[in-house]
Amino acid sequence: MNFSSWPPLFVVDVEGNGATPPDLVEVAALPVREGRPDTSTAGAWLTKPRRPVTPFAARVHGLTNGRLESEPGWEEIADQVHTLLGTSWICAHNAHVDYRVLSAHLPTWRPAGALDTLRLAKATHPGLRSYSLDALIEHVGPDLSAAPAHRHRATFDAYATAQLLIAMADRYDTWDQLVAAAVPPGLPGAPEPDKDPTLW
């Protein structure tokens, strides 16, 4: 894979307050450049949700109401997030979820496309018993020694997803082949289905 041919891309991960639909409590956006995660220009935000964090969500990511009490509200950081992401491609594990939540919080945001490492893993490593992020970390064995925070925090999960993306992308010769394997139907950037030839 020639990584220099990739368009601008951010691996994103979001954590929520446990409500349905969720309020955001953390967003991470990690650029991938020349086949490496670029932590020097990454974005990471904590935000106080409008509704309290549920006990279950707090147990998962460790972000309690007390921890978030002094963080800015979403309306104070939304422009920063939108400006960083711009119209770049995004990548996420189970990208439908992150794309849907981010789109709800950034109504005018339009990424060029969305890669899904869950879909990519099923194409690249068929037959695994699980395609969860933990299962793929165990199977692929990416180097996570420089990952920030801990599992289930947006910064860690974005870093792990970026390393998985880079490892799996090496199995594909071109960006278009990667897109064909990794973009789910219905998400931005999905390849157009072949149209039936007609006489007209």
Side-chain angles (χ1 to χ4, degrees):
M1 169 65 74
N2 176 15
F3 288 103
S4 64
S5 67
W6 285 26
L9 179 143
F10 287 88
V11 178
V12 299
D13 190 77
V14 301
E15 301 297 335
N17 66 334
T20 304
D23 295 336
L24 288 172
V25 298
E26 186 178 27
V27 178
L30 176 63
V32 172
R33 295 192 173 97
E34 298 297 328
R36 291 187 300 277
D38 181 7
T39 55
S40 68
T41 58
W45 299 266
L46 291 174
T47 178
K48 180 183 176 181
R50 291 180 295 111
R51 295 166 293 175
V53 179
T54 66
F56 176 78
R59 283 196 299 273
V60 171
H61 49 54
L63 295 169
T64 63
N65 292 301
R67 172 68 182 82
L68 297 168
E69 181 61 36
S70 61
E71 298 297 337
W74 176 251
E75 64 281 356
E76 297 176 67
I77 63 170
D79 285 348
Q80 297 174 38
V81 179
H82 196 171
T83 298
L84 182 65
L85 293 176
T87 57
S88 298
W89 279 73
I90 62 163
C91 172
H93 194 68
N94 199 7
H96 281 286
V97 173
D98 299 80
Y99 174 72
R100 184 172 65 242
V101 173
L102 279 171
S103 293
H105 283 76
L106 299 170
T108 62
W109 170 62
R110 298 290 183 271
L115 302 178
D116 181 4
T117 48
L118 176 61
R119 182 180 177 87
L120 180 62
K122 290 179 177 180
T124 311
H125 300 287
L128 298 186
R129 290 176 60 187
S130 171
Y131 290 92
S132 70
L133 195 59
D134 288 320
L136 290 173
I137 288 170
E138 183 175 341
H139 181 77
V140 177
D143 180 4
L144 300 181
S145 58
H150 56 79
R151 179 74 174 91
H152 296 298
R153 286 291 301 275
T155 48
F156 182 101
D157 290 1
Y159 189 92
T161 301
Q163 294 290 53
L164 290 170
L165 170 65
I166 292 161
M168 291 189 288
D170 232 13
R171 304 280 193 96
Y172 298 84
D173 292 331
T174 67
W175 169 256
D176 287 345
Q177 289 176 5
L178 182 69
V179 166
V183 180
L187 286 190
E192 290 289 327
D194 292 333
K195 293 184 171 58
D196 293 331
T198 68
L199 296 177
W200 301 103

